[in-house]
Amino acid sequence: MKERYTAIDLFAGAGGMSLGFEQAGFDVLAAVEYDPIHASVHQYNFPKTKVICADVSKISGRDILDKVNKKPGEIDVVFGGPPCQGFSMIGRRLEDDPRNVLLLHFYKIISEIRPKYFVMENVSGLTQGSAKKLLQVVIEEFQGIGYEITLPYRVLDASSFGVPQSRKRLFLYGAYKGYTPVKYPEPTHVPRTIRGEIPTSLGTMQLGTSVEEAIGDLPDVDLFNELLTQDFIQFELNPTSAYAKYLHGLIRDEDDLSAPRITSRNLMTSSMRTKHTAESIKRFLETEQGTIEPVSRFLKLHPEGVCNTLRAGSDSKHGAFTSPRPIH
């Protein structure tokens, strides 16, 4: 590209959305994240981005612009996923959850930075029940300051775009007056089911990615005793599927405009072993692939299926919901 675009990431976490925008040709100038550990990880992942460790409710758009020497109206896009766990489809749905107010702080920052475009990602529960009223208020506020919202808004499922995870999320697009509104992308893949059923008709679309294609190259961690005391080992992965090869950087995507990352192919991290009891091992082995293990409530991934939605869960103040992790 002769010209790259500029972006700012709010509620940035470790940088998942930053990476997507960088791959699409944006330079993420600044990222705001209140958790210092997440902010540090984001800075490690994006060394050229100005990471601001701050609470979005206690910082202004002007503060962010000053950090990157920009003025209102000069940023191409501001994006982010303001936490709205109170309206999540899991746990207790709490209309008065204070985290839901972050949606309004997202609006406040947009109104002060006044980017040409904004993208907001959120839980699908925001489109239902009483939560829908809050969403409508936010939409009207954006329209009131000159943004055209792409309507009707849509919930997109990651599995419809080649990701081996069933994950439905609301995306809200806004274009400042005078700029062409954004259109929603159409699905590129026919997703598999969690139980591994293959769709009978694909038409012109590709078959969705399976769990096996995504993680089939991972070794059996029980073969490595050092993982009982540390979370990394020297082990060179040899991916076989095109999807895994792409994740490892062995297949170059011509549409990927991100900066290349220097990685070590013979280092596997974040893989510390868990000591399971004989009873747990027996239960897991007896659980049919693509079904829920009744005691732990863990889903046993089907190799030809997709993963269930990976969620953060919530603390004791918000229902003490522990999100079950899948097993395989």
Side-chain angles (χ1 to χ4, degrees):
M1 293 180 64
K2 294 182 179 179
E3 178 187 6
R4 290 182 68 86
Y5 301 100
T6 57
I8 291 174
D9 188 353
L10 303 180
F11 313 97
M17 288 190 76
S18 284
L19 180 58
F21 271 85
E22 185 186 312
Q23 290 173 327
F26 290 80
D27 289 329
V28 182
L29 303 184
V32 182
E33 169 55 43
Y34 87 103
D35 184 286
I37 294 177
H38 299 166
S40 297
V41 173
H42 197 293
Q43 188 67 80
Y44 179 83
N45 288 333
F46 300 87
K48 294 184 178 180
T49 296
K50 178 64 179 179
V51 177
I52 305 167
C53 187
D55 187 333
V56 168
S57 67
K58 298 177 181 177
I59 192 173
S60 70
R62 173 64 69 179
D63 294 331
I64 300 171
L65 290 172
D66 287 346
K67 297 284 187 182
V68 294
N69 298 315
K70 295 291 184 180
K71 297 178 181 178
E74 292 184 344
I75 298 296
D76 290 312
V77 62
V78 172
F79 61 88
C84 281
Q85 287 97 328
F87 291 130
S88 174
M89 301 300 290
I90 62 173
R92 296 190 304 176
R93 299 182 67 185
L94 302 176
E95 186 175 353
D96 59 350
D97 190 320
R99 293 172 297 183
N100 298 335
V101 180
L102 293 173
L103 195 64
L104 300 177
H105 288 298
F106 180 81
Y107 157 77
K108 177 183 74 72
I109 295 293
I110 297 294
S111 69
E112 295 166 344
I113 294 179
R114 209 177 74 243
K116 299 166 187 174
Y117 293 90
F118 74 81
V119 177
M120 187 194 79
E121 176 264 352
N122 223 294
V123 295
S124 60
L126 197 57
T127 66
Q128 300 179 19
S130 59
K132 195 173 183 178
K133 298 177 183 177
L134 174 61
L135 178 58
Q136 188 58 42
V137 167
V138 171
I139 289 174
E140 292 172 359
E141 291 294 327
F142 276 126
Q143 292 171 330
I145 59 173
Y147 282 92
E148 182 174 346
I149 307 301
T150 303
L151 295 173
Y153 51 74
R154 285 172 56 182
V155 171
L156 304 178
D157 190 335
S159 65
S160 297
F161 297 89
V163 176
Q165 180 187 171
S166 175
R167 186 178 188 86
K168 296 180 180 180
R169 288 294 183 266
L170 164 71
F171 285 84
L172 195 69
Y173 300 142
Y176 196 63
K177 51 189 175 185
Y179 292 97
T180 305
V182 179
K183 295 181 180 180
Y184 281 96
E186 294 303 320
T188 57
H189 292 70
V190 177
R192 301 163 184 259
T193 67
I194 286 179
R195 291 188 60 87
E197 290 94 352
I198 305 296
T200 56
S201 176
L202 297 178
T204 59
M205 291 196 291
Q206 303 177 58
L207 178 62
T209 310
S210 70
V211 167
E212 175 69 25
E213 290 171 324
I215 62 173
D217 57 327
L218 294 181
D220 183 351
V221 295
D222 287 339
L223 300 178
F224 302 91
N225 289 331
E226 54 265 52
L227 290 177
L228 291 171
T229 56
Q230 63 188 41
D231 72 345
F232 63 93
I233 54 171
Q234 296 291 323
F235 183 90
E236 185 167 347
L237 296 176
N238 293 297
T240 56
S241 73
Y243 183 84
K245 288 179 179 178
Y246 166 71
L247 293 182
H248 284 271
L250 300 179
I251 295 179
R252 177 67 180 169
D253 181 356
E254 294 182 357
D255 293 327
D256 184 349
L257 304 176
S258 63
R261 263 64 176 183
I262 299 174
T263 59
S264 174
R265 291 212 54 243
N266 62 350
L267 181 66
M268 191 172 72
T269 62
S270 303
S271 302
M272 197 165 192
R273 277 175 59 180
T274 298
K275 283 189 174 182
H276 295 289
T277 64
E279 180 185 357
S280 295
I281 293 173
K282 184 175 183 293
R283 291 203 322 267
F284 291 162
L285 285 173
E286 292 175 349
T287 302
E288 183 182 349
Q289 293 172 334
T291 65
I292 300 292
E293 196 284 305
V295 177
S296 66
R297 305 298 300 164
F298 291 168
L299 171 72
K300 186 171 184 177
L301 300 182
H302 195 292
E304 296 303 319
V306 295
C307 182
N308 55 334
T309 303
L310 298 175
R311 300 179 172 100
S314 60
D315 58 26
S316 58
K317 292 187 297 183
H318 304 96
F321 181 84
T322 301
S323 184
R325 308 299 188 221
I327 58 176
H328 60 81

